[in-house]
Amino acid sequence: MLLTLAGGSLFFPGLFVLSTWWLRRARPEWTYHDCVMISTRVVSSAQAVLATGSGIVIIRACRNVVSDRHWLAREYVWFLIPYMVYDTYAMYLCEWYRTREQDRRHTLTIFRNFLSKNRLMITHHVVILLVLVPVTQRLRGELGDFFVGCIFTAELSTPFVSLGRVLIQLKQQHTLLYKVNGILTLTTFLSCRILLFPFMYWSYGHQQRLSLFQVPFRIPLFCNMANAVLIAPQIYWFSLLCKKAARLFDTPPAGKDG
């Protein structure tokens, strides 16, 4: 546990510093805010790849969705904790450099703007650290590694979300790459963050010889409540993505001649 925590504490900030340093050398015309923002996206994507890969390994290893075990189900959570702390600070750092470039240097103002603009994401991180970590590491006992692996795979959409943000930052939102990435973002977000939950219910029901609609009434109430809490912000974020996609593909009518 301690070694994994130490590894995460070195890996994520270290990758951020290395990425920022390389971008400053490779793209000297970019502002410091551009380099910092893109570096945060690089780190987020790296974490997403590691989490998704871990999740796939766990899912494939757990034939019994309730009782089978895999060491990554616990170990990767310890690796994830430093990332959540780092990511919160990285979001603040992006806001600090953005407002600094606009000559607004008052730290309290920057901090208030940061809290205001990132309320949902900060809440998401705090819930993971204070609720989901104790549940996955202690309260669930020796059960449910398969479902922990499923939750890890929800990160599959993150690299596409990050690429979209980078393209917007570089003013490339009118390119074909941006549109293709938008389609991939919607597809992976829907499949891995929304449909993931019916899939988990179906997997349990398939093993227990229950229909999908019977499962919610055969599992503990707190499991249903936990899933509701997890899926609610995903539905909200997906609705925002759909609105952006609608604007992206909404072409204005051609002007009339004459």
Side-chain angles (χ1 to χ4, degrees):
M1 178 189 77
L2 293 179
L3 185 61
T4 307
L5 283 170
S9 300
L10 292 174
F11 177 76
F12 295 115
L15 180 59
F16 172 78
V17 171
L18 182 62
S19 178
T20 304
W21 173 82
W22 183 83
L23 287 172
R24 290 292 291 170
R25 289 176 61 89
R27 292 290 186 269
E29 70 277 12
W30 287 0
T31 67
Y32 213 90
H33 172 249
D34 289 334
C35 296
V36 168
M37 192 282 296
I38 293 173
S39 294
T40 62
R41 300 301 173 187
V42 170
V43 178
S44 295
S45 298
Q47 190 282 135
V49 171
L50 292 172
T52 302
S54 299
I56 292 172
V57 170
I58 295 167
I59 291 170
R60 290 176 59 87
C62 294
R63 300 300 180 185
N64 186 304
V65 302
V66 175
S67 59
D68 278 1
R69 308 298 313 282
H70 194 282
W71 62 272
L72 272 173
R74 290 191 186 277
E75 208 62 28
Y76 191 78
V77 174
W78 296 125
F79 192 67
L80 183 65
I81 291 173
Y83 170 77
M84 289 297 166
V85 177
Y86 145 81
D87 194 50
T88 302
Y89 176 72
M91 288 190 295
Y92 171 75
L93 201 60
C94 287
E95 180 67 17
W96 191 85
Y97 277 111
R98 186 185 69 81
T99 53
R100 182 189 180 194
E101 290 175 4
Q102 298 175 359
D103 294 328
R104 290 183 295 177
R105 298 170 180 265
H106 197 287
T107 303
L108 184 58
T109 301
I110 296 174
F111 187 69
R112 286 175 176 171
N113 290 339
F114 164 69
L115 293 179
S116 176
K117 292 176 61 177
N118 298 278
R119 286 191 303 266
L120 188 57
M121 187 60 71
I122 293 171
T123 302
H124 172 265
H125 284 21
V126 170
V127 168
I128 288 177
L129 290 173
L130 300 184
V131 179
L132 293 185
V133 168
V135 169
T136 57
Q137 302 302 81
R138 291 289 183 266
L139 299 180
R140 69 185 177 92
E142 304 296 317
L143 305 175
D145 281 15
F146 172 86
F147 300 107
V148 174
C150 289
I151 296 299
F152 286 167
T153 63
E155 290 294 314
L156 179 61
S157 63
T158 299
F160 302 105
V161 173
S162 295
L163 178 58
R165 296 287 181 84
V166 170
L167 291 174
I168 291 173
Q169 185 73 17
L170 300 179
K171 298 180 173 26
Q172 300 295 311
Q173 58 265 45
H174 301 297
T175 62
L176 177 61
L177 174 60
Y178 183 79
K179 293 182 178 181
V180 171
N181 183 71
I183 295 172
L184 292 173
T185 300
L186 286 174
T187 303
T188 53
F189 202 101
L190 176 63
S191 59
C192 294
R193 291 187 179 243
I194 308 294
L195 299 181
L196 171 70
F197 292 89
F199 169 74
M200 291 193 292
Y201 278 69
W202 175 85
S203 299
Y204 179 83
H206 180 70
Q207 182 171 292
Q208 302 296 324
R209 300 178 184 271
L210 299 171
S211 71
L212 177 63
F213 301 103
Q214 290 176 307
V215 173
F217 304 100
R218 301 293 184 88
I219 62 177
L221 177 62
F222 71 85
C223 292
N224 290 316
M225 294 176 62
N227 285 328
V229 170
L230 288 173
I231 198 174
Q234 312 306 328
I235 293 174
Y236 172 74
W237 282 322
F238 185 68
S239 69
L240 296 181
L241 289 174
C242 289
K243 290 178 182 178
K244 289 183 180 179
R247 291 197 299 268
L248 176 65
F249 291 99
D250 183 21
T251 55
K256 294 183 179 181
D257 295 334

